Amino acid sequence: MELNVVAVSYLSLIVFIIFVEILRKKETFVDFLSWFNVIFCLVYPLPAFLLEADFDHQSIVLMYDTQTSYTTEIRTTIAIFLGYFCVVLGFYNNSAKRFGKFFIIQKNKNWKLILYSICLLSFAFLSIHLYSSEYGGILLAISQTNLIRAGAASTETEGTLLFFKQFIFTSFFSSYLLASIVFIGKMKQNRIAILVIFILSVVISFVAVLLSSGRITLINYCLGFYLVSIICNGKINLKIIIPGLLCIFLIIMYGKAFFFSLTAIPNGFENVMDTFVKTLDNESEKTTKGNHLYTFIINFVFPVHSLDASFKESYNPTFFVDLFYAFLSIIPSRILNAIAGIELPLSIADLNSVYVLKITPKPTTIPPGLLAYGIYSMSWPGLIIVSLVYGWIGRFLQSILIEYIQDIYWIPFIYVLTLQVWADFTPTGDLRLYLVNYFWFLLSMTILLVFIGKIYFRKPTAS
């Protein structure tokens, strides 16, 4: 078997990233760039390598449907290499680290953090109740998650409460804060009560995951706890990492079938199990057409297809005007239209979905990914600007939090959560989609740092 030059170049990039990650000096065992390297390899060079290598003519498995195509495009290869090195260059820009040190976070009183965590958890529970009431209750909403994601589910009050879906994941934020109190802060007073509330937050977080049917969301939530332990202990626990990786593999491979089986909830638990087994049987038939590696990678291939499409399709560059629309998208469309008469245009993700699937109207939303976002915005200059700024922001956020990771017990969890949210823009690459998905994080973090932790700006001293 011979590999073409392009396939070898992608494989070389993966080896290079692994080599650099092992050798480079880091402020924590896993830092922002470490997580970016993992996500980047999963969504760019690895899928691109498998598409180019086409082992036993299996690359067809990595296509969305018969309309989606992929042919060797040297611009795609150059963009992946250029984008990666620009992100690294932005990350290691001295100004990012220097500006990050201008921010000071004060220690807070424990009772404030506990009260804030409980308030966040209560708000998450209220949001879950209000959002699910649109579909007849929590169980019925969970049973319709696949229809909801496809935009085919009907609501009982014409969608007036759908806005609250943005806040159901404040339970994640609450859960991490409570975990920091229990496992790092090790408070002795009311420890049992706080532990019970933490367990409740885990349950509510799991319900939020079921309502979103998000496999990656579930993985990120669970991984957060393990990443904190790595950062605090400075080493990887092999006894946990091996079964953990197995769980991640199972969630990615079978999570879709699990969430689909929840459609049978109204018919009872036995029907849920029957639907799950039948779905697995259907999936196994597809898997026989390709090996398990290709079936696994299909979950991460969309940024490569998007980057490929961004070079081949004809469109007008956005010149980053979507940044303005991203903030407007937080406001419910009905309110925005009634007050200001504004109708938001199609997002980059909407256009990208049409370009990738070659179908109008689009049956699903396919995020463009970081690199295609740059190309859609301003071609090659856009790719360079987006990658540099993205890397700079990552180091800037890391520099703010790293100063207090040993001094303030809740910072390690916030550090990991911020790391995950920042890195998720790599596969997302659409500001409107990204801001709506993580508005809960921005709101929770702002309240924590401004009103609870008291962050403020320290003027630089003259040298």
Side-chain angles (χ1 to χ4, degrees), residues 189-329:
Q189 288 184 325
N190 302 316
R191 181 177 176 83
I192 300 299
I194 297 172
L195 181 59
V196 170
I197 298 173
F198 165 68
I199 294 172
L200 179 62
S201 74
V202 174
V203 174
I204 293 176
S205 296
F206 186 67
V207 172
V209 169
L210 292 179
L211 284 171
S212 68
S213 68
R215 290 170 291 170
I216 301 302
T217 305
L218 175 60
I219 290 171
N220 276 337
Y221 174 67
C222 297
L223 262 179
F225 295 99
Y226 181 64
L227 289 175
V228 169
S229 71
I230 292 176
I231 290 171
C232 291
N233 298 323
K235 61 181 180 180
I236 294 176
N237 188 335
L238 294 178
K239 293 180 180 179
I240 299 178
I241 190 74
I242 294 175
L245 289 174
L246 177 61
C247 288
I248 291 173
F249 178 80
L250 292 175
I251 291 172
I252 293 176
M253 293 294 291
Y254 304 113
K256 190 174 183 179
F258 168 73
F259 285 117
F260 180 77
S261 68
L262 297 179
T263 57
I265 284 179
N267 299 322
F269 179 74
E270 290 185 1
N271 283 280
V272 171
M273 292 302 299
D274 289 341
T275 304
F276 180 67
V277 172
K278 290 178 182 178
T279 306
L280 286 183
D281 290 339
N282 293 333
E283 290 295 328
S284 64
E285 291 179 7
K286 296 179 182 179
T287 304
T288 57
K289 300 177 183 179
N291 60 47
H292 286 283
L293 178 59
Y294 276 85
T295 306
F296 175 79
I297 292 298
I298 195 174
N299 296 283
F300 306 101
V301 74
F302 61 88
V304 175
H305 281 306
S306 300
L307 183 58
D308 191 51
S310 70
F311 286 117
K312 294 177 179 178
E313 298 295 330
S314 298
Y315 53 85
N316 294 319
T318 64
F319 296 105
F320 303 107
V321 72
D322 53 301
L323 178 62
F324 170 70
Y325 291 127
F327 288 99
L328 289 180
S329 65

Side-chain angles (χ1 to χ4, degrees), residues 78-90:
I78 294 173
I80 290 175
F81 275 79
L82 180 62
Y84 177 77
F85 288 112
C86 283
V87 170
V88 174
L89 187 62

Side-chain angles (χ1 to χ4, degrees), residues 324-395:
F324 170 70
Y325 291 127
F327 288 99
L328 289 180
S329 65
I330 298 174
I331 306 171
S333 57
R334 289 185 176 184
I335 297 176
L336 191 64
N337 189 270
I339 296 178
I342 298 176
E343 193 77 35
L344 295 180
L346 293 176
S347 68
I348 291 180
D350 292 327
L351 297 173
N352 179 69
S353 303
V354 175
Y355 297 150
V356 172
L357 296 176
K358 308 292 184 183
I359 298 174
T360 306
K362 60 183 182 61
T364 186
T365 298
I366 300 178
L370 173 72
L371 305 184
Y373 170 70
I375 298 297
Y376 282 132
S377 298
M378 202 188 293
S379 190
W380 289 102
L383 173 70
I384 295 172
I385 292 170
V386 167
S387 300
L388 286 172
V389 171
Y390 179 66
W392 190 96
I393 291 174
R395 186 54 177 269

Side-chain angles (χ1 to χ4, degrees), residues 104-120 173 177 181 408-411 414 443-456:
I104 297 176
I105 302 175
Q106 288 184 338
K107 293 182 179 180
N108 58 286
K109 294 181 179 180
N110 291 333
W111 69 267
K112 286 186 178 181
L113 193 68
I114 295 171
L115 180 60
Y116 180 55
S117 302
I118 295 173
C119 288
L120 277 179
F173 208 100
L177 289 180
I181 296 169
I408 303 178
Y409 63 84
W410 48 267
I411 288 293
I414 298 304
L443 180 64
S444 301
M445 181 68 85
T446 300
I447 295 173
L448 174 66
L449 294 181
V450 175
F451 300 104
I452 309 298
K454 299 294 184 182
I455 189 172
Y456 61 93

